[in-house]
Amino acid sequence: MTITAKHIETAAYEIMKKAAIDIPDDYLTGIEAMADTESGDLSAFVLSAMLDNYRAATEDRRPMCADTGLPRYYVKVGDKARMDSMVALEAALRKATADATHDVPLRPNRVHPLWRTEHNNNLGINSPEVEWSFEPDADWIDITTVHKGGLFGTDYRMLFPGDGIDGIKRFLLDTLIAFGKRGLACQPAIVGVGIGGSKDTCMQLGKQAACLRVVGDRNPDPEIAKLEHEFKELGNSIGMGAMGFVGSSMVVDCHIEVGYTHTGGMPVSVHTFCLSSRRATARIHGDGTITYRTDPKWFTPYMRREGIS
Amino acid sequence: MTTAPTRKTHHLTIPVKASDIAMLKPGDIVYLEGVVYTAREGVYDRVLEKQQPLPAFDQSGTDLSAISNVNFHCSPAAAPSEDGNYKIGGVTATASFRFSKWMERWLDLTDTKIVIGKGGMPKEDYTNILAPRGAVYLTTVGYGTGALLGRGVTSVKNVFWLDDLGIAQAMWMFNVKAFGPFIVDSDIAGNSLFAEHNAAIAENISALYDGLKPPALSRYGETDNRKDEVM
């Protein structure tokens, strides 16, 4: 049996709604734990208001944050999945975006960058983004959507091998403090750090590390896993909590992804996935049934392969 | 910080009276009832730069400040509903520092006394612009309490310039009840909660970098003063 554009549209519409409304369990658990240990009075007040807000969103079926970000998709296609038309798949994703924007409703954030033209449906040139990956020995298609605000909390810098881990730590501190002031990064955040690749890959890896891995997940390289822990502790030692008030709640978790890079360079990017960390995934199975979850399972061993296959 | 023991919760009716505003202290919590209007760069540009008049709010030509003296830097997640009204989902603020350059003229034109948004504005704006006009700044909480604030909007009273400016930039008038929570950032003396907290945090910042060697290549125009804000 083949997967049809109708299956894709149904799944994509549903995850748009779920992502906007229901906070993922892993992030919720992380914030509950931070609320218990936060000693900064105002920062603790903010975390408790956010917990109220998640409940209100789920009860009322309304978006947890009105800045529903720049809705976009990550599609992972099983090698044995059969789809009649890839162009129809992309069209289905666009239709689901427009329909969900009206029905949920999502804020129609997308505008032309120069002329500020908008279609009130979150569609436009190169919008929504669709990123692709493949998975061996699978007959399903996974579609993940992420709703992330787009203005603050991200930076990129070309460092050099001699700058070492110190250089990365300084850049991480620079970014967290600059955007943590007044809480522009909407911390506590899932911090994604992309290291290596070419410049665009570096940004992409860091963004995916923030948005497509769950709180508690560790990189399979034990040395990188240690760094993830160290960076999380470093961020939480700044003395800054939610909204930039005095406190300790800056980083719910830190995820690092790496890509082989130019021998002379060590590009680094930092991304913060906010207090409304919104993601939802649908799996369209080979027989057309659809199941939903909040863990995108994007970084598979195949994604991180080093050799030919 | 010393704000904790004295933090009060205020329930204010809009238009908000000068005596109510005088009671607000940085770190206090506020809930609002009445009419709140949204205005951000689209509205400011239209009225202040393109010199177009404010909309007619009703048939008898009532001033905006008699209906609402609360300006919310917000774009709702809204959509037209079948009954000709609007469905309001989540309601969240947007970062206010970008609108700083319009505040003085806007407050003078509209007699607005409460500005609500994300992240506050530079302390100099409170000292030089808001405080002398008896106005204060409230910040939304966590910047993502869209569902709680959405609950507080009981209905859309009116929306202006929707066709020209779009949903995100249009001037919305919301009927609100138990609308909040908001945290008081600035008071009528021009104090700023964010500035206080930034200063406290800045004491610890240089120690964080101790022992971490600087990168080989600096960035052009890089400042070394980490106590500076970038906005």
Side-chain angles (χ1 to χ4, degrees):
Chain A
M1 177 175 174
T2 48
I3 295 171
T4 66
K6 193 67 205 163
H7 293 132
I8 301 291
E9 192 185 317
T10 304
Y13 178 85
E14 198 55 34
I15 55 174
M16 276 283 152
K17 199 180 264 186
K18 286 178 185 291
I21 295 171
D22 297 312
I23 193 77
D25 278 339
D26 60 285
Y27 185 78
L28 175 65
T29 308
I31 292 297
E32 283 170 342
M34 288 196 120
D36 284 344
T37 54
E38 176 58 85
S39 59
D41 171 65
L42 276 168
S43 177
F45 173 81
V46 173
L47 294 181
S48 117
M50 288 310 301
L51 292 171
D52 289 345
N53 184 65
Y54 303 143
R55 280 188 287 272
T58 293
E59 279 168 24
D60 294 5
R61 306 309 295 160
R62 65 167 89 230
M64 65 182 91
C65 178
D67 185 347
T68 48
L70 298 177
R72 46 107 47 86
Y73 298 98
Y74 297 88
V75 182
K76 192 183 282 294
V77 182
D79 190 41
K80 297 191 165 45
R82 291 296 164 258
M83 173 83 205
D84 46 7
S85 159
M86 287 304 182
V87 168
L89 189 160
E90 288 202 319
L93 295 180
R94 293 175 80 84
K95 176 145 195 326
T97 305
D99 289 349
T101 297
H102 176 271
D103 295 350
V104 176
L106 307 177
R107 193 205 283 168
N109 274 334
R110 294 276 192 175
V111 300
H112 189 286
L114 294 172
W115 325 129
R116 316 311 286 183
T117 319
E118 65 173 319
H119 307 307
N120 272 335
N121 60 7
N122 278 317
L123 301 185
I125 302 170
N126 282 311
S127 315
E129 295 85 353
V130 180
E131 287 186 48
W132 297 88
S133 69
F134 300 95
E135 188 65 12
D137 303 321
D139 69 348
W140 40 254
I141 297 178
D142 272 0
I143 303 176
T144 296
T145 187
V146 166
H147 297 180
K148 181 181 182 301
L151 306 188
F152 310 108
T154 299
D155 206 356
Y156 163 84
R157 184 165 184 171
M158 178 58 83
L159 293 169
F160 300 93
D163 295 332
I165 302 296
D166 274 9
I168 300 174
K169 283 184 178 169
R170 290 181 73 100
F171 179 57
L172 177 67
L173 284 171
D174 287 348
T175 308
L176 292 179
I177 296 169
F179 292 110
K181 286 187 183 190
R182 297 166 185 266
L184 292 181
C186 293
Q187 71 268 17
I190 304 176
V191 174
V193 182
I195 308 176
S198 48
K199 293 180 185 72
D200 53 338
T201 319
C202 179
M203 284 299 281
Q204 199 175 22
L205 285 171
K207 170 84 175 252
Q208 294 179 358
C211 299
L212 300 178
R213 287 175 53 192
V214 299
V215 172
D217 182 45
R218 291 279 68 89
N219 191 291
D221 180 327
E223 291 306 311
I224 293 179
K226 262 190 239 169
L227 273 182
E228 290 179 336
H229 180 71
E230 213 177 307
F231 287 3
K232 175 184 167 183
E233 297 298 310
L234 181 66
N236 288 332
S237 73
I238 292 170
M240 195 185 273
M243 288 178 72
F245 293 133
V246 170
S248 57
S249 305
M250 176 65 86
V251 183
V252 181
D253 208 347
C254 176
H255 298 142
I256 300 172
E257 288 299 325
V258 297
Y260 274 39
T261 192
H262 190 288
T263 184
M266 187 175 64
V268 178
S269 72
V270 174
H271 309 252
T272 51
F273 200 17
C274 62
L275 258 174
S276 298
S277 280
R278 292 153 291 174
R279 59 172 132 73
T281 301
R283 174 164 293 180
I284 303 108
H285 297 268
D287 64 1
T289 57
I290 305 172
T291 50
Y292 297 97
R293 62 180 199 265
T294 54
D295 181 354
K297 299 181 181 163
W298 178 255
F299 286 101
T300 60
Y302 179 72
M303 282 283 284
R304 294 182 176 122
R305 68 196 180 278
E306 282 195 74
I308 287 176
S309 59
Chain B
M1 301 302 295
T2 54
T3 44
T6 57
R7 188 171 72 217
K8 287 192 186 139
T9 299
H10 307 267
H11 293 265
L12 306 182
T13 304
I14 306 168
V16 182
K17 297 194 292 285
S19 55
D20 289 335
I21 290 174
M23 294 190 308
L24 303 178
K25 293 291 162 219
D28 284 357
I29 307 301
V30 174
Y31 290 86
L32 297 168
E33 178 164 352
V35 178
V36 164
Y37 73 89
T38 70
R40 51 184 296 180
E41 62 268 53
V43 168
Y44 296 147
D45 180 64
R46 186 179 175 116
V47 176
L48 299 174
E49 307 301 338
K50 301 202 169 76
Q51 304 279 316
Q52 299 199 23
L54 288 167
F57 296 103
D58 58 23
Q59 289 178 344
S60 48
T62 307
D63 279 347
L64 175 59
S65 64
I67 303 167
S68 175
N69 54 3
V70 180
N71 179 181
F72 192 12
H73 290 154
C74 157
S75 303
S81 55
E82 287 71 25
D83 59 8
N85 212 304
Y86 297 92
K87 179 183 179 187
I88 301 294
V91 174
T92 310
T94 195
S96 298
F97 71 88
R98 297 172 289 159
F99 313 135
S100 175
K101 65 174 178 179
W102 289 299
M103 275 301 104
E104 183 168 13
R105 286 185 286 158
W106 185 255
L107 296 187
D108 285 343
L109 178 75
T110 61
D111 209 23
T112 290
K113 297 298 181 196
I114 291 183
V115 178
I116 306 176
K118 170 177 177 176
M121 294 194 290
K123 186 174 181 330
E124 308 82 71
D125 285 358
Y126 298 151
T127 311
N128 301 330
I129 298 169
L130 269 70
R133 290 168 177 78
V136 298
Y137 184 96
L138 312 183
T139 174
T140 54
V141 176
Y143 310 134
T145 54
L148 290 180
L149 295 180
R151 267 186 183 178
V153 175
T154 53
S155 61
V156 174
K157 181 181 167 67
N158 222 330
V159 56
F160 300 99
W161 303 330
L162 184 62
D163 290 343
D164 293 354
L165 299 178
I167 286 173
Q169 296 281 346
M171 185 173 190
W172 294 85
M173 314 279 288
F174 294 136
N175 289 311
V176 301
K177 195 173 180 187
F179 189 49
F182 303 108
I183 301 175
V184 179
D185 179 26
S186 81
D187 60 14
I188 53 166
N191 294 305
S192 162
L193 181 70
F194 281 121
E196 273 176 40
H197 279 253
N198 280 346
I201 290 163
E203 294 302 312
N204 181 45
I205 287 179
S206 49
L208 291 166
Y209 290 85
D210 281 352
L212 299 176
K213 66 177 165 43
L217 182 68
S218 297
R219 291 171 137 185
Y220 184 73
E222 194 168 50
T223 168
D224 281 338
N225 187 353
R226 292 198 162 79
K227 294 187 178 184
D228 285 352
E229 279 199 84
V230 290
M231 73 179 223

